[in-house]
Amino acid sequence: MRVRVLVAALAALALFTSACGGGDDDDDAPAADETTSTTLSVADAANAYTEPGPYPVGITTLELEGGIPVEVWYPAVEGTAGEDTYDVRTMVPQSITDLLTADVPATFTTGAGRDADVAGGEFPLVLFSHGYSGFRQQSTFLTAHLASWGMIVAAPDHWSRDLYHALDSFLGGVPVEANDSVDDLRFTRELMESEHAATGSRFEGHVGSGPVAAVGHSAGGGSVLGLAPDDGIAGYVSLASGASLGTRGAPSPQPLVLPDKPSLFVAGSLDAIASVETATKPAFEAAPAPARLWVIEGAGHLAFADICTYGNGSGIIGVAVASGLGPFLDAAPEFRALGEDGCLEPAVAVADTFPIVKHVVTSWLRELFGVDAVPVGLGPDVAGEYSVPVEIEENL
């Protein structure tokens, strides 16, 4: 049955299980294997996963064959501390880096220990796929958050469309030999499985052998659709995307036949890159049950990435404009759109969208992996419990 709401419905009770996936013999992890049941108010259920989970977060960088970097966030041992920072100016060709001289924020910092030890036990694997002109760390606000709730998240750079190679191509650089983005995800899964089995690896014995989930933003949503039919992929999350398997979010000219796997679609009502009406909703409506759709009122395309936190809230475009690159952007309107959609008014601030995205993706994955026996805060009753309204549809 499909349910569509813009405000909270009748109050309901949700059954919440607190299991987080630690091993029985692990003194570092919380007592996560003792499952308890708690009744939550609608407001509490809606915000159950907005805050960090019980695990400190570790972060490390691995490589696929050919030197393609893979960023991995994971539950770390108790006592892990520190911060990890990336600078978006290092994600572009050197000729552009040299021009991004403005004294405005261009970094994103998360609480994580670089190369920390992994917490004891096995943890489910989540693959993350970035969008066109994105990069592997672009949604660290979410990927690190998932790690704090007991998941290992691995994100490859897609050289077929990442920020560096998209800009390099625009500037007339020599095209690189790049894998198909779906293959990047497959190779990343194989990499993590090999790390699990490798003696002396940081991840030895820690990557769960059960089902795998895939999360993709924008063109990454198309990539996870391509990956979803693979054996062992339990389900997928499509952020600011739709049914296209192309790299720029254009609607597919073919009839929509989506993978017969559980799915979650999350979108922003103001997204001008991947329209809710022409991209996201048609994909949700074509998806076999069980499928869920959340549309965040007033959010844009980059409500699902760190990018709007740069440039004092104006995104990577703000960094470029402040550095005097306005004429370059005038000649590349597609990059301007991809770099600021959702960052500027009338879009709501990402400070309002991030908690919603963290909650819905974390809750959905925990149900998918069997950590939560029933969904926590995913139904239409929670739609009015956030700082901005959410439209929720279900096909269960």
Side-chain angles (χ1 to χ4, degrees):
M1 178 180 68
R2 298 187 184 275
V3 184
R4 183 173 182 172
V5 295
L6 285 169
V7 295
L10 296 175
L13 295 177
L15 179 66
F16 172 57
T17 63
S18 61
C20 293
D24 292 340
D25 57 352
D26 175 33
D27 293 332
D28 296 316
D33 54 315
E34 297 179 5
T35 304
T36 60
S37 299
T38 307
T39 55
L40 298 177
S41 68
V42 174
D44 287 343
N47 292 281
Y49 300 119
T50 58
E51 297 298 322
Y55 290 99
V57 175
I59 184 172
T60 195
T61 307
L62 304 178
E63 282 190 359
L64 298 178
E65 185 177 351
I68 298 172
V70 176
E71 209 71 12
V72 186
W73 299 262
Y74 52 91
V77 295
E78 185 177 357
T80 296
E83 292 183 334
D84 192 82
T85 300
Y86 71 81
D87 190 328
V88 71
R89 289 169 293 200
T90 67
M91 310 298 177
V92 300
Q94 188 62 47
S95 59
I96 298 295
T97 301
D98 293 341
L99 298 174
L100 296 177
T101 57
D103 186 19
V104 295
T107 61
F108 188 86
T109 299
T110 190
R114 171 63 61 173
D115 298 328
D117 290 336
V118 185
E122 291 190 357
F123 303 95
L125 177 63
V126 179
L127 304 173
F128 181 84
S129 179
H130 68 72
Y132 179 78
S133 72
F135 47 93
R136 66 190 188 279
Q137 304 105 313
Q138 66 153 61
S139 296
T140 293
F141 87 93
L142 174 62
T143 50
H145 184 78
L146 295 175
S148 79
W149 282 101
M151 305 172 208
I152 294 175
V153 185
D157 270 342
H158 295 303
W159 285 1
S160 60
R161 63 165 185 253
D162 68 4
L163 180 60
Y164 182 99
H165 292 98
L167 281 171
D168 192 55
S169 175
F170 179 81
L171 295 172
V174 178
V176 298
E177 290 189 15
N179 302 321
D180 177 84
S181 61
V182 179
D183 283 338
D184 287 333
L185 296 174
R186 292 187 176 116
F187 297 149
T188 298
R189 179 184 178 186
E190 292 172 1
L191 172 67
M192 297 310 299
E193 290 171 347
S194 68
E195 290 287 317
H196 171 79
T199 302
S201 164
R202 174 175 287 104
F203 296 100
E204 180 185 357
H206 293 302
V207 182
S209 57
V212 175
V215 179
H217 172 252
S218 191
S223 298
V224 301
L225 283 178
L227 179 73
D230 285 12
D231 290 343
I233 301 298
Y236 61 92
V237 179
S238 176
L239 305 173
S241 189
S244 172
L245 294 181
T247 59
R248 308 193 184 207
S252 171
Q254 304 300 321
L256 300 186
V257 180
L258 270 64
D260 190 9
K261 301 284 180 76
S263 59
L264 169 67
F265 296 85
V266 191
S269 68
L270 297 186
D271 193 332
I273 305 298
S275 163
V276 172
E277 296 302 326
T278 62
T280 308
K281 283 193 175 181
F284 162 70
E285 290 165 356
R292 295 181 183 272
L293 169 67
W294 281 42
V295 179
I296 303 172
E297 186 68 28
H301 195 66
L302 296 175
F304 309 93
D306 308 334
I307 294 169
C308 290
T309 66
Y310 319 145
N312 294 318
S314 57
I316 190 173
I317 299 303
V319 178
V321 170
S323 302
L325 297 184
F328 170 83
L329 294 169
D330 291 342
E334 64 182 272
F335 285 115
R336 178 184 285 274
L338 286 168
E340 68 181 9
D341 187 287
C343 297
L344 307 176
E345 293 183 348
V348 298
V350 293
D352 293 317
T353 64
F354 280 2
I356 302 172
V357 177
K358 289 177 180 179
H359 168 77
V360 64
V361 176
T362 305
S363 181
W364 189 86
L365 288 171
R366 282 173 62 91
E367 183 195 10
L368 182 75
F369 289 134
V371 181
D372 289 340
V374 295
V376 178
L378 291 181
D381 54 315
V382 304
E385 298 296 330
Y386 302 104
S387 59
V388 294
V390 180
E391 177 185 352
I392 298 175
E393 296 189 45
E394 301 175 328
N395 179 18
L396 306 178

